[in-house]
Amino acid sequence: MDVEKKVAATPLLDELEKGDWPSFVTEIKKAAKTSKMAQGLLEQVEASYVEKTGHWKHGGIVGVKGYGGGVVGRYTDDPDRFPDAREFHTMRVNQVPGFFYTSEKLRALADIWDKYGSGLYNMHGSTGDIILLGTTTENLQPCFDALGEIDFDLGGSGGALRTLSCCCGEARCEKSCIDAMDMMYDLTMYYQNEMHRPAWPYKFKIKISGCPNDCAAASARSDMALIGTWRDAIQVNQEEVRKYVADGMNMVQVCRKCPTEALGWDEKNQTLSIKTEDCVRCMHCINVMPKALRIGKERGITVQIGGKAPVVKGAMIGWILVPFMKAEAPYTEIKDLVSRITEFWAEHGKNRERLGELVERLSLATFLEGVGLKPLPQMVSAPRANPYIFWKEEEVVKNG
Amino acid sequence: MDVEKKVAATPLLDELEKGDWPSFVTEIKKAAKTSKMAQGLLEQVEASYVEKTGHWKHGGIVGVKGYGGGVVGRYTDDPDRFPDAREFHTMRVNQVPGFFYTSEKLRALADIWDKYGSGLYNMHGSTGDIILLGTTTENLQPCFDALGEIDFDLGGSGGALRTLSCCCGEARCEKSCIDAMDMMYDLTMYYQNEMHRPAWPYKFKIKISGCPNDCAAASARSDMALIGTWRDAIQVNQEEVRKYVADGMNMVQVCRKCPTEALGWDEKNQTLSIKTEDCVRCMHCINVMPKALRIGKERGITVQIGGKAPVVKGAMIGWILVPFMKAEAPYTEIKDLVSRITEFWAEHGKNRERLGELVERLSLATFLEGVGLKPLPQMVSAPRANPYIFWKEEEVVKNG
Amino acid sequence: MSFVEIKGQQIELDEDGFIVEPDLWSTDIAEYFAKEEEVEELTEQHWKIINYLKDYFKQFGIAPMVRKVCKDNNVSMQELYALFPTGPAKGACKIAGLPKPTGCV
Amino acid sequence: MSFVEIKGQQIELDEDGFIVEPDLWSTDIAEYFAKEEEVEELTEQHWKIINYLKDYFKQFGIAPMVRKVCKDNNVSMQELYALFPTGPAKGACKIAGLPKPTGCV
Amino acid sequence: MARTDFGPPDYKTMLPPVIKRNYGKWLYHEVPQPGVLRHVSETGEELYSVRVASARLVSSEFIRDISDIAEKYCDGFLRFTTRNNVEFLVSDKAKLEPLLKELDEKDYLVGGVGLSISNIVHTQGWIHCKSAVTDASGLTKNIMDTMVDYFTGKKSVPSRCRIAVACCVNMCGACHCSDIAVVGIHRTIPRINHELASKICEIPNTIASCPTGAIRPNPKLKSVEINHEKCMMCGNCTVVCPAIKIMDPENDGVSIWVGGKVSNARSKPMFSRLAIPFIPNNPPFWPEVTDAVKHLVEVWASNARPGERMGEWIGRIGWERFFAIADLPFTDKHLDDFTHANTTFRSTTQFKY
Amino acid sequence: MARTDFGPPDYKTMLPPVIKRNYGKWLYHEVPQPGVLRHVSETGEELYSVRVASARLVSSEFIRDISDIAEKYCDGFLRFTTRNNVEFLVSDKAKLEPLLKELDEKDYLVGGVGLSISNIVHTQGWIHCKSAVTDASGLTKNIMDTMVDYFTGKKSVPSRCRIAVACCVNMCGACHCSDIAVVGIHRTIPRINHELASKICEIPNTIASCPTGAIRPNPKLKSVEINHEKCMMCGNCTVVCPAIKIMDPENDGVSIWVGGKVSNARSKPMFSRLAIPFIPNNPPFWPEVTDAVKHLVEVWASNARPGERMGEWIGRIGWERFFAIADLPFTDKHLDDFTHANTTFRSTTQFKY
Ligand code: SRM
Ligand code: SRM
Ligand code: SRM
Ligand code: SRM
Ligand code: SF4
Ligand code: SF4
Ligand code: SF4
Ligand code: SF4
Ligand code: SF4
Ligand code: SF4
Ligand code: SF4
Ligand code: SF4
């Protein structure tokens, strides 16, 4: 975009160009050199800093043809004062799984965005998308079309499957129990319709982490978290364990941190022992001795459901739904489960009711029955303490 | 009471006269030798065993003059079949604090009860009363009058202060931080009116345990649990500690069970150390080494509120209201607190709403304000995790 | 269940002597109950409370909590028991022809 | 906010082109919106859904969930997008003169 | 008017002299043999307490018999414990052995002290309560007949094990915090006598009594309705409204709960949690119940570490392991669905297979 | 019609050859120096990843600059992390030092690996969100300016410390499970434009949006009312109904939460919990906020044991001790009063004075 206008003074924001940490103000100013919209943003944000209040209006519903989401509409609340921020929509562009890019791809993206938008990005949004920050209604469709040419599709918004995200998984991590990136890619491709055409009560998020370290923070912020895990023994290289000890590792302290006392150190024989049946795969020992310990060989995922932020019923951390299931391409079992869950939720969920809230409202037992799963003690930290047990008519003797 | 009638056969109950454990059936039969009511009970209970259902009617509201409680009315649901169980009220007689009796007193009680009732007792009811099991409406007043002559008053029932109970405290226990029995006696005498004339939304229970071992199970089943505790250092006799060690006590294992790592064992110097600031007075070390360790010297009580059984909102274990307060006769501070709490509850409680449920409904903050106490971190296991904070108008800047 | 005849009318009572058909209640019945409940004579004070109980029940479908009875009628617990020696639940409510209170015992 | 003239009437629209005064909605306005939302012509199928949306909103005070629109009208998502290329929320609801859906984005 | 508001007898008049002298001065105690406590005072004096089992439901004859014994060996002083055992308070050591002998001859069971299974805290049952789903006394008798060796000390346990029995979910006792709790439950929905309800039901209270909000008014009948989908068969409405009945002999029965505790010793107090949702009422022996309790005690006793209460053991190994070791089926009933249900759902990938 | 439903670029086309060759074969990793990871494969091959800080809100110029760098040292391959750092993927060890040198020259901050304070996960703030109570980017910049030594490894921490900033209680991020979370909050009740509401408010949705049930319909105005007693100022109704406004510059501000975690490492995931209920919005520096965060990090770093996350440390010492050590006032605001409040009340006599 061409630019002429001179940006008004931004004394408060200017302060934030100082300091060691990379400055978002500097970034906006860089963009403002060639983008009016970025200039508009700068002015409006400066005003927010002065007045201690935001200046964006409620709502905004714009989009591209054929899709029901992927764009967040945004308008300034004072177009006279901030004419260049009048329309300032963001496009949610589906990131590459694992956030891997070639410089070529990034340059192509920047070229398009300089043409159709503000030249500002969030790399990345909290859900995982590339957020293209600020364009006009008019430019949405051409921008989308151009993005299509370099293979960038939009991600999700609204009552839809949201853009998936995952950790780097097997691409760059020795702990990954699954091919997280492939799984994300495969599911994303499979659920294109569910992502682009909102038809559900509310947002639905799926995130994938290669192991229980959960570097994608999946369990805290996805309705369905797929976490890599294993069910056999941790692989131990005693040689390497001894090296750690020789290098000063205090094995008593290491063992003490095992949450279930599964880990033992035989000082005499200089041997580490792991009671596999007691191991809860907390990753601790593997984390501290990456050279000596490896995840097991029989790998798959644990499925957690219900994770979310506080609105409305309070934040939730995902609950175990499936303790262990295999996770190999083409992920048929997983897709089947996702479909059964979203179908149940779409059928019974109220408007703006997240999956976790639905399960809480209807009861876990009802939900399990609905999606065809059996109750397991792994699903709970403890069974019920209250005596308010529900019995079905078919479970009891019929009375006259 | 005189007796003629022959009891019908009770083949099922008879089975319960076998076995090693003392038999309630044998006890009823003993009473039935001289009491028709006991015979009636035997017959009706046998019927219950055959039919697998109770035979007592709903309700029953009988009493003695001047009191609104202390008697639980009971009628058989089939007076034709069980004429001798037609009226079968129980009288709740306030037990002696600590359940200490002289044989003389017990005999006097038995004499009265043989005269006016079934000759059957619960020694004691779950709340603590002596339950005189089974008499007629007609006999209630004379029985009460006779009991009065041997200094036995009735306990509580209905929406009243219930009969207090306590552990043996200083009378028979080295761990007691307070004079539990005296406290129970004093409070009982002070609150006679509140106990005998129900004027509250629901039952209100106070129980007293001399120390956190809580042998009166106070925190689980009283709206207000007064638990003896201390705030200075545990008294250690290192000599005696060493004797325990010499006798084979494994100090490493003992120390491991201290919930806060406050307990330490110096193998070299054969010395036990206790970090007083980390001790949470869990009693563990004192329990296992009674000869070596003693409670601290600065003693008082911790007050817990809200303990109760499941009806309606679920069972609760008492919550900390006052971490520490002095508890010396005449217990003025405690009485003041009891009065402020019951006053608040009586004012705001709904019908059949226990204190814990009220606090849950109105919020702990509201309750604290109502009874004039300051919030303390000791009251919670953790602060709130949800961002739904309420701000009062006076806390914020007034706007236009 | 038993019956008593009050001014020529057969009135059914439950074991505790409460009226089974509250609709049949009348001042005569109140007088009868009063005797049973150790009330010598129903004074104006008694009637004030009886009427209060009846009105409250009509309006809310429940018997008022005792504290409320005292507050709304400006009587103390002591006075209430002086008026109705067998207490508000067993005494006053019975006389007022309310269903038997089923609160906690 | 902006204004458009539709059949001689000044109609106020918000930034997204939704009608500000839903009471002023008319079939003319629907026709106008349809063009904006890439609908060539409002066919019977379109009207069925538009009327359904209007009725539902009248009855429940909210826009129906998309799944319900499909079910109740026996159309698939694909068909719905074929009818309203800009989607049920931005397209169909706007044409039907419903308030701008404020659901999650 | 009769004497009122005079309270219970003054406890000071009920204490043996040795206690009066050493009140607040006890220094420590020992358990010289099962069922016997020896408390030693700062003054050097000592008191022997001998604990014997009681049925709790006792007759005047029993009262007089223990009075006799107390007079013979304890100058007439005795007490009851908070779990309804009787304690003979012996101040003269010489009388200890003779007392124990007489108790043995009279078939009194001495025990319940320390690492033992003490008396069961139980409730009225068919003996006296209109809400009773089962008979607490009968269950108690049967269970303790089975457990008696753990009371007398013939068999040992890793730690105390407090058993409670309640005849309905009101849980008159501390069932909700017991190592093992046996609780009577209903499995069918209450029936309403609308005719009667219209006369005697305090409708607002009845509605408020329902934990799950299953009751709504039925103004036409001047009565109430129960929403079958929501009713959890707790029976609370039947306490408030006499026109509602829930007893159903064929379907009523008992449930078993484990892992609760009250004391603050070592670990915090804990709620008991559902182990076995339903066992039919099978008087007079309730064999399935006694078997289950026995099984639970044995599983715990043979797996727990010394000093570990049932709930502490389960806390260490995890509930999933408990259900496996105890070989109990885990069902939809075990999944909480009440107010705080979601705080019991497992929010971590840490679990055992 | 344009191309639709084709999804993101295929990740396989974005991987450096060394990763393709060793995909799924990585054996272990080391941290040779702050900000640098060395992953070693079964095949013996190795990959160096160099992590640099990013503002997340970046310009095309930045994108092109990191592309330049990647081309120079990494054959054009780079990635972003789940916390918005940039990682340069170096397959040729010889290029590592030159890369680090150039990064240093260009003022890129290398760090955020291992025992460090990595980038802050934050949200839109005044940059783009209509719900923003505060500015997430500004807060992040200020906090990280203060914390930068913990990022670069100049200062050390006992364990990872994940900081998050959210501009409103929607918490677009994982604030609710962060070691330290800064969250924008309102303190006054929303105002309703009834005139507007009557036109555009989806009333049932608005009522349902209120966590505390504070909203009821006002049929007369065809609008809604807010019950002041119940409103907790969460602002959720303003998301659903454009006629309700809650912004209040004088009273809005931020709260600070501590002790959350997501990973299942050692301990279970935990929620962040309220530490400081309110700090006024004070742009551009928010000095009270940066001071508070600095203080919290320092208190934790100087008291926790090695390897202990904030929440693990607090879990060990207890919240009562935390408030004392951190010298923070404990107020009525800290007491939970939402749905599961009573599960946070202390049900044991175990506590520290
Ligand atoms: C852009 C983004 C923040 C960011 O700066 O990165 C964002 C921005 C908004 N979120 Fe979010 N959310 C973003 C990720 C999240 C996450 C994190 C995640 O997805 O991993 C969460 C927490 C996880 C969860 O979903 O629970 C999140 C929880 C919410 C909520 C609360 C939902 C709840 O059930 O508690 C709302 C409220 C709502 O839906 O009305 C919300 C609503 C919003 C809205 C749409 C508010 C609004 O109505 O205007 C914001 C639009 C801002 C804008 O103008 O761009 N956003 N939001 C993130 C999406 C970028 C992306 O696509 O990559
Ligand atoms: C007799 C006794 C059981 C026993 O065998 O020992 C008992 C018996 C009854 N209890 Fe209880 N409760 C008895 C101690 C308890 C306890 C234990 C305690 O007090 O320490 C509890 C649990 C603690 C608590 O209060 O929460 C208890 C919790 C209940 C409840 C549930 C209350 C709740 O809030 O969850 C009810 C239901 C009710 O009030 O309607 C109840 C109701 C009843 C009723 C009145 C049921 C009824 O409406 O008929 C029972 C009368 C039985 C009868 O006919 O004698 N009883 N009740 C206990 C009183 C004896 C005494 O005075 O010493
Ligand atoms: C006599 C009695 C108090 C009374 O006033 O009646 C009593 C007396 C003593 N208790 Fe207790 N407790 C008594 C009921 C309780 C209860 C209440 C209950 O069981 O309903 C509890 C709480 C139970 C629970 O947690 O569920 C109780 C939890 C304890 C504890 C902690 C046990 C634990 O490890 O969790 C101790 C400490 C110990 O055993 O080392 C204890 C210790 C003691 C000591 C050793 C205290 C002392 O130094 O004298 C007493 C010797 C008793 C013994 O049985 O070994 N007492 N004790 C009660 C005897 C009941 C019975 O007949 O069995
Ligand atoms: C690159 C990244 C994944 C990605 O695909 O982008 C990643 C990569 C690694 N993580 Fe992570 N984690 C990454 C975000 C996370 C997150 C998510 C977050 O912070 O939002 C978590 C959960 C945080 C939480 O619990 O709140 C996370 C929790 C862990 C843990 C467990 C930490 C703990 O002690 O609780 C480990 C194990 C360890 O550190 O030993 C771990 C270990 C690792 C290892 C060592 C795995 C490996 O063997 O390669 C990786 C080296 C990273 C490092 O920073 O030391 N990673 N890691 C993410 C880097 C973010 C950043 O720029 O700082
Ligand atoms: S979640 Fe596990 S597999 Fe994924 S990056 Fe983190 S440590 Fe590696
Ligand atoms: S992974 Fe965790 S639970 Fe398993 S042995 Fe290692 S430290 Fe213990
Ligand atoms: S509660 Fe404490 S003081 Fe009372 S008997 Fe038990 S151990 Fe002794
Ligand atoms: S009383 Fe408990 S917390 Fe205190 S030192 Fe002893 S074992 Fe530790
Ligand atoms: S537990 Fe239930 S049935 Fe048993 S006495 Fe208590 S209220 Fe009655
Ligand atoms: S039995 Fe319980 S759950 Fe069912 S209606 Fe009655 S009170 Fe409600
Ligand atoms: S946290 Fe709130 S204000 Fe910030 S981006 Fe998310 S919705 Fe908007
Ligand atoms: S601000 Fe939150 S609590 Fe207040 S009315 Fe709106 S939704 Fe309800």
Side-chain angles (χ1 to χ4, degrees), chain A residues 388-389, chain B residues 312, chain E residues 169 186 188-190 192 206-216 225-228 230-240 244-246:
Chain A
Y388 300 143
I389 307 173
Chain B
V312 181
Chain E
V169 301
H186 301 282
T188 47
I189 283 164
I192 306 167
T206 305
I207 290 172
S209 76
C210 180
T212 61
I215 305 180
R216 50 180 180 239
E225 278 319 335
I226 293 174
N227 178 344
H228 283 218
K230 282 189 172 179
C231 173
M232 302 288 185
M233 300 99 181
C234 73
N236 197 36
C237 51
T238 72
V239 175
V240 178
I244 308 184
K245 298 274 175 250
I246 192 168

Side-chain angles (χ1 to χ4, degrees), chain A residues 201-223:
Chain A
Y202 202 11
K203 55 187 82 170
F204 191 89
K205 295 181 181 174
I206 298 179
K207 285 186 168 63
I208 304 168
S209 277
C211 81
N213 278 334
D214 197 359
C215 297
S219 77
R221 50 191 192 123
S222 35
D223 302 274

